[in-house]
């Protein structure tokens, strides 16, 4: 099963071999290829190059293409303020004074539409068979607030008809853009509607749900999958999000994953998230990130779960943090180079690892892993040892050492380990980056039984 | 229902016109403007603040309530100015340099006004020095900053650096807030308080102002 199949099956709420991993590589991808967010989000070539780089490094099962919720607003005439490390922000809300009647629906040739659509097409050709490609569109409610500003909130209470009229228009913009993307070969339309976390379930029901439902149905009719994303505290509206005919919901760390799983499972809707962006991804270490992934995989396990960051990863998110999660989830050996930054940090509790005294006639095997439950190679390595133990009667003492702290990483590096998991025999690295066959392992043990 | 309760309820329901009418009527009946403010307008906004914190009401409801409160304030302000009504404290507030997000900041300002504080809104994308200059100009008690982006929250530190450079750090209470922040970050950059939501920000600012006056 490849990444694309894994994601698409998960969005179908079918069982898969392991949880798919979809890193939201947006502005961080600009950093990855040495560009500012502005340079990146204005260049078709840069986007293709950046996404390809993310594809190579992060071992993703799915990837977003252009993470910028302002493309539609820009094409409709809103002025953008560009930044080095963030997607652009809308400066002027054209419907604060202007009239909806004066706005024309954007065409394929407007604004940055050609850039986004061409990038999607090129990436679909390059990697569309292996990974699920997500084309992001701005959700109708968020687009409406781009156009109307906070007056939209007032309208919902005082000029309901105006609010509905604007939502209809924004839904059409979204349907059109989704339709254009559908022709590029992408697999999933991700409707990103962060502003909906700011309104009550009553308002969601009236001003968001009917429009999202219409949009989601139109995407499905084109044979694509559709997901609904909301950042911020979306807890109160999750249930309603699941009722919009969507294939999946996505949310950030403000939402409790276990709660979201319960709600989504009830509706047989996929659920994705929610690695904390700031505390873990931006400021945490690679080990913190792996530990967070382990925790979330455990909570989310079962059909429907997609492991993802809470939202677009910050520009300065360390590459190693993302690589560490990708290696772990995909069951690859993790190079300790990824963790090198940890050893530079001395703080944290010292991990006490007991020395084992090896008696004559014995051999001591130590498997150093991140977590053998969730990490396939770790598990296989432990199984390999367990299998040969009976053949050596009582001569083998073995243990698994889980690396959870910085001092643990440091000690492991001092032992000469360069990848995890690794197998040490009598404190010497013997198998690193390879799971030994039964024969290899037995020979390695025999030759090291202490005289 | 007392006239205060009625005004409070209309603020909660976001009825601007009704609030204005009720305030004018209360003044006609010789009710003290200060009581109308505290027991009517601010009491109503306070209820909304508590409900907002408890996820019972959301941004749209807070916005219409704040507007209703302001409709009443407009009537009272000239009268209160004559009688020399002192605000609980003075705050300068803005979204830091590089950041254009204003919804959160505006909510905080509304809640702070609702708590009886005078707030100068510096707007969005505010250069660090402007916070300090304005605070000096109006004799503020509190400097409050907002950021929504991980890449702009670092700019908060600049304001604290300027305060240090000018030897003004002890003169102001510094508060920070915004989605990507937490209490640890506030501590790291040397701010006095972190507030997780608009209602907490208003409570914290009020308490900090009163504490300063008590010293």
């Amino acid at each position: 099963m490849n990444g694309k199949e894994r994601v698409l099956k998960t969005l179908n709420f079918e069982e898969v071999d392991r949880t798919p991993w979809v890193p939201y590589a947006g502005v961080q991808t600009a950093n990855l290829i040495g560009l500012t967010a502005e340079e990146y989000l204005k260049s078709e070539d840069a986007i293709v190059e950046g996404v390809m780089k993310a594809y190579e490094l992060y071992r993703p099962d799915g990837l977003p293409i252009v993470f910028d919720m302002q493309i539609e607003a820009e094409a409709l005439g809103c002025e953008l303020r560009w930044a080095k490390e963030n997607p652009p922000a809308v400066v002027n809300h054209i419907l604060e004074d202007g009239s909806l009647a004066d706005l024309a629906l954007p065409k394929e040739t407007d604004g940055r539409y050609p850039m986004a659509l061409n990038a999607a097409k090129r990436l679909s050709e390059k990697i569309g068979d292996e990974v699920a490609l997500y084309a992001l569109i701005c959700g109708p409610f968020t687009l409406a607030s781009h156009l109307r500003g906070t007056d939209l909130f007032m309208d919902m209470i005082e000029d309901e008809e105006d609010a509905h009229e604007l939502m209809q228009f924004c839904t059409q913009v979204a349907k059109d853009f989704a339709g254009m993307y559908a022709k590029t070969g992408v697999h999933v339309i991700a409707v990103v509607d962060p502003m909906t976390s700011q309104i009550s379930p009553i308002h969601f029901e009236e001003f968001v749900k009917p429009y999202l439902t219409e949009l989601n149905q139109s995407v499905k009719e084109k044979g694509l999958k559709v997901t609904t994303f909301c950042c911020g505290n979306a807890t109160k509206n999750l249930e309603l999000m699941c009722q919009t005919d969507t294939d999946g919901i996505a949310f950030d760390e403000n939402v409790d994953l276990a709660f979201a799983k319960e709600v989504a499972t009830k509706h047989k809707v996929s659920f994705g998230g929610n690695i904390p962006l700031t505390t873990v991804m931006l400021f945490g270490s690679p080990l913190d990130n792996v530990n967070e992934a382990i925790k979330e995989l455990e909570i989310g396990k079962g059909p429907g779960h997609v492991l993802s960051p809470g939202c677009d990863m910050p520009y300065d998110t360390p590459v190693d943090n993302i690589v560490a999660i990708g290696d772990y989830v995909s069951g690859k050996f993790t190079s300790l180079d990824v963790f090198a930054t940890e050893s530079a940090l001395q703080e944290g509790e010292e991990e006490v690892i007991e020395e084992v005294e090896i008696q004559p006639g014995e051999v001591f095997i130590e498997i150093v892993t991140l977590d053998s439950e969730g990490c396939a190679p770790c598990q296989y390595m432990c199984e390999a040892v367990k299998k040969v133990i009976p053949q050596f009667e009582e001569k083998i003492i073995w243990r698994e050492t889980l690396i959870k702290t910085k001092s643990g990483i440091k000690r492991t590096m001092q032992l000469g380990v360069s990848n995890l998991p690794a197998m040490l025999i009598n404190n010497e690295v013997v198998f690193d980056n390879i799971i030994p066959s039964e024969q290899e392992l037995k020979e390695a043990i025999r030759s090291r039984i202490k005289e | 229902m007392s006239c205060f309760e009625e005004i409070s309820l209309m603020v909660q329901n976001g009825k601007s016109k009704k609030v204005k009418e009720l305030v004018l009527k209360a003044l006609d009946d010789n009710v003290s403007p200060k009581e109308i403010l505290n027991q009517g307008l601010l009491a109503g906004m306070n209820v909304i603040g508590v409900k907002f914190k408890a996820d019972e009401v959301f941004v749209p409801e807070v916005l219409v309530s704040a507007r209703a409160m302001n409709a009443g304030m407009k009537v009272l302000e000239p009268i209160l100015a004559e009688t020399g009504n002192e605000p609980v404290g003075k705050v300068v507030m803005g979204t830091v340099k590089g950041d254009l997000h204003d919804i959160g900041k505006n909510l905080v300002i509304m809640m702070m006004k609702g708590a009886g504080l005078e707030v100068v809104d510096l707007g969005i994308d505010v250069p660090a020095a402007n916070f300090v200059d304005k605070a000096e100009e109006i004799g503020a008690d509190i400097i409050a900053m907002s950021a929504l982006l991980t890449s702009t929250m670092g700019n908060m530190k600049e304001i604290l650096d300027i305060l240090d450079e000018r030897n003004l750090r002890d003169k102001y209470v510094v508060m920070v807030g915004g989605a990507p922040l937490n209490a640890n970050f506030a501590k790291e950059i040397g701010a006095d308080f972190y507030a997780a939501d608009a209602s907490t920000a208003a409570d914290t600012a009020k308490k900090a102002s009163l504490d300063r006056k008590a010293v």
Side-chain angles (χ1 to χ4, degrees):
Chain A
M1 189 178 291
N2 71 17
K4 173 184 147 187
E5 292 160 347
R6 199 171 282 124
V7 170
L8 296 181
K9 274 184 184 294
T10 299
L11 291 176
N12 256 346
F13 212 75
E14 290 173 44
E15 293 272 359
V16 285
D17 56 346
R18 66 163 173 83
T19 304
W21 153 240
V22 182
Y24 297 145
V27 283
Q28 195 278 335
T29 316
N31 195 359
L32 199 56
I33 57 169
L35 297 178
T36 64
E38 175 169 9
E39 291 162 340
Y40 182 75
L41 291 169
K42 282 182 173 175
S43 158
E44 177 191 320
D45 288 344
I47 291 163
V48 172
E49 188 193 340
V51 174
M52 286 307 292
K53 187 97 182 184
Y55 166 71
E56 286 156 23
L57 286 176
Y58 302 152
R59 304 185 191 275
D61 297 301
L63 277 175
I65 296 170
V66 190
F67 215 116
D68 181 347
M69 293 309 110
Q70 284 67 237
I71 292 180
E72 296 91 329
E74 181 189 31
L76 283 160
C78 289
E79 192 192 322
L80 302 186
R81 165 83 70 84
W82 289 88
K84 272 162 75 177
E85 303 187 345
N86 286 299
V90 168
V91 179
N92 65 326
H93 308 291
I94 48 171
L95 293 183
E96 261 175 7
D97 305 310
S99 156
L100 183 57
D102 296 334
L103 293 186
L105 291 164
K107 301 182 296 295
E108 288 183 7
T109 46
D110 288 341
R112 283 179 295 142
Y113 273 47
M115 172 202 81
L117 295 166
N118 287 337
K121 194 155 175 254
R122 284 166 62 186
L123 286 163
S124 298
E125 281 161 11
K126 280 174 184 282
I127 52 175
D129 289 336
E130 284 107 62
V131 293
L133 291 171
Y134 286 63
L136 274 56
I137 60 173
C138 181
F141 190 75
T142 300
L143 180 57
S145 41
H146 279 330
L147 299 177
R148 180 89 173 111
T150 42
D151 288 351
L152 174 66
F153 291 138
M154 301 280 197
D155 292 347
M156 292 194 310
I157 295 173
E158 290 170 350
D159 299 293
E160 296 169 34
E161 274 177 33
D162 287 356
H164 278 295
E165 204 187 330
L166 179 55
M167 283 301 296
Q168 275 159 18
F169 176 81
C170 293
T171 305
Q172 191 57 49
V173 174
K175 281 163 73 175
D176 289 353
F177 202 12
M180 296 172 203
Y181 265 130
K183 289 186 272 178
T184 64
V186 299
H187 313 99
V188 184
I189 297 292
V191 180
V192 187
D193 217 350
M195 289 304 288
T196 60
S197 65
Q198 304 302 315
I199 60 171
S200 68
I202 294 169
H203 277 149
F204 191 102
E205 180 112 41
E206 181 180 352
F207 292 99
V208 179
K209 190 178 155 187
Y211 300 102
L212 276 185
T213 308
E214 181 187 334
L215 171 61
N216 293 341
Q217 286 169 347
S218 106
V219 174
K220 285 181 171 177
E221 278 164 22
K222 296 186 173 73
L224 273 68
K225 292 281 167 199
V226 62
T227 60
T228 310
F229 180 80
C230 179
C231 71
N233 193 350
T235 308
K236 58 193 173 285
N237 292 329
L238 279 190
E239 182 91 40
L240 292 166
M241 283 165 70
C242 289
Q243 295 169 10
T244 57
D245 248 327
T246 185
D247 293 307
I249 56 169
F251 41 85
D252 72 15
E253 66 259 34
N254 286 297
V255 172
D256 179 69
L257 182 60
F259 172 79
K261 180 186 181 181
E262 196 186 314
V263 173
T265 303
K266 193 170 70 185
H267 294 275
K268 292 207 171 349
V269 161
S270 164
F271 53 101
N274 57 347
I275 304 169
L277 290 182
T278 321
T279 50
V280 178
M281 298 211 76
L282 182 60
F283 295 129
S285 65
L287 196 58
D288 293 336
N289 278 271
V290 170
N291 285 335
E292 178 67 29
I294 291 170
K295 191 182 93 190
E296 298 202 4
L297 291 171
E298 181 58 30
I299 297 171
K301 73 180 174 195
H305 185 214
V306 176
L307 182 71
S308 287
C311 189
D312 189 11
M313 295 185 287
Y315 187 83
D316 283 323
T317 305
V319 174
D320 285 345
N321 284 358
I322 313 166
V323 168
I325 297 176
D327 284 350
Y328 179 80
V329 178
S330 59
K332 300 290 189 302
F333 286 90
T334 307
S335 164
L336 270 183
D337 292 342
V338 164
F339 296 106
T341 44
E342 322 248 0
S343 62
L345 299 162
Q346 300 285 346
E347 90 264 23
E349 274 180 42
E350 201 63 28
E351 199 163 9
V352 182
I353 294 166
E354 283 175 37
E355 292 291 323
V356 169
E357 204 179 317
I358 306 155
Q359 303 294 335
E362 283 180 359
V363 70
F364 169 54
I365 303 179
E366 181 174 26
I367 299 170
V368 186
T369 65
L370 289 167
D371 177 332
S372 67
E373 290 291 311
C375 146
C378 303
Q379 207 179 331
Y380 297 144
M381 214 175 239
C382 290
E383 278 169 11
V385 174
K386 282 179 199 162
K387 204 170 169 196
V388 301
I389 288 176
Q391 303 173 41
F392 287 88
E393 292 167 354
E394 282 166 10
K395 288 176 191 151
I396 296 180
I397 305 162
W398 82 285
R399 76 173 174 207
E400 186 189 355
T401 304
L402 296 179
I403 300 299
K404 288 191 186 298
T405 64
K406 286 165 188 160
S407 62
I409 292 279
K410 205 174 149 202
R411 172 178 167 274
T412 310
M413 292 182 94
Q414 279 164 354
L415 289 171
V417 174
S418 57
N419 292 283
L420 289 181
M423 191 188 297
L424 284 71
I425 303 180
N426 293 349
N427 299 319
E428 172 201 349
V429 182
V430 180
F431 299 108
D432 177 343
N433 214 3
I434 184 170
I435 295 159
S437 69
E438 193 175 334
Q439 201 53 37
E440 284 171 324
L441 180 57
K442 282 200 284 198
E443 272 166 30
I445 293 171
R446 257 184 225 117
S447 66
R448 286 177 180 78
I449 293 181
K450 205 165 169 180
E451 300 277 312
Chain B
M1 199 188 290
S2 76
C3 80
F4 300 134
E5 282 167 353
E6 213 174 336
I7 292 172
S8 162
L9 196 66
M10 288 303 123
V11 168
Q12 291 171 49
N13 292 343
K15 305 287 182 194
S16 298
K17 270 190 209 152
K18 196 78 193 155
V19 169
K20 191 179 166 186
E21 278 172 33
L22 288 168
V23 171
L24 285 168
K25 184 173 173 294
L27 288 171
D28 274 350
D29 295 344
N30 285 322
V31 181
S32 125
K34 207 171 169 182
E35 284 182 356
I36 299 174
L37 175 72
N38 290 325
Q39 297 178 41
L41 298 176
L42 301 189
M45 202 59 204
N46 188 40
V47 173
I48 287 293
V50 171
K51 285 189 174 174
F52 181 65
K53 204 170 158 179
D55 270 357
E56 287 171 32
V57 299
F58 300 90
V59 177
E61 293 83 358
V62 175
L63 290 174
V64 290
S65 285
R67 198 181 48 179
M69 175 187 74
N70 283 332
M73 291 273 242
K74 269 208 179 117
V75 180
L76 289 180
E77 261 164 8
I79 306 166
L80 287 170
E82 277 172 29
T83 55
N85 185 50
E86 278 288 307
V88 175
K90 290 184 181 178
V91 185
V92 293
M93 164 104 205
T95 305
V96 295
K97 184 85 196 145
D99 204 319
L100 302 182
H101 294 88
D102 64 353
I103 294 179
K105 176 205 58 135
N106 291 345
L107 284 179
V108 170
I109 291 174
M110 287 167 199
M111 292 292 183
M112 283 183 172
K113 285 185 176 166
L117 293 144
E118 182 184 316
V119 189
V120 175
D121 182 1
L122 298 172
I124 53 174
D125 192 17
V126 181
N130 289 19
F131 282 90
V132 181
D133 293 344
K134 197 68 184 179
E136 285 286 281
E137 183 192 320
I138 68 155
D141 302 287
I142 295 173
I143 296 175
M145 312 170 230
S146 162
L148 187 79
L149 304 172
T150 51
S151 56
T152 55
M153 60 194 246
N155 296 344
M156 293 179 160
K157 176 90 171 57
E158 265 184 62
I159 287 127
L160 288 148
D161 290 343
I162 294 174
L163 287 173
D164 282 337
E165 277 165 29
R166 299 197 199 164
N167 277 323
L168 295 171
R169 181 63 189 88
D170 295 338
K171 203 171 159 187
Y172 299 105
V173 171
V174 178
M175 293 178 51
V176 296
L181 279 70
N182 56 36
N184 253 346
F185 175 79
K187 206 171 149 191
E188 251 168 52
I189 62 166
D192 298 303
F193 296 106
Y194 158 75
D197 59 79
S199 184
T200 306
D203 290 345
T204 308
K206 186 175 175 180
K207 188 169 181 303
S209 301
L210 293 173
D211 286 350
R212 268 165 68 93
K213 296 210 161 65
V215 174

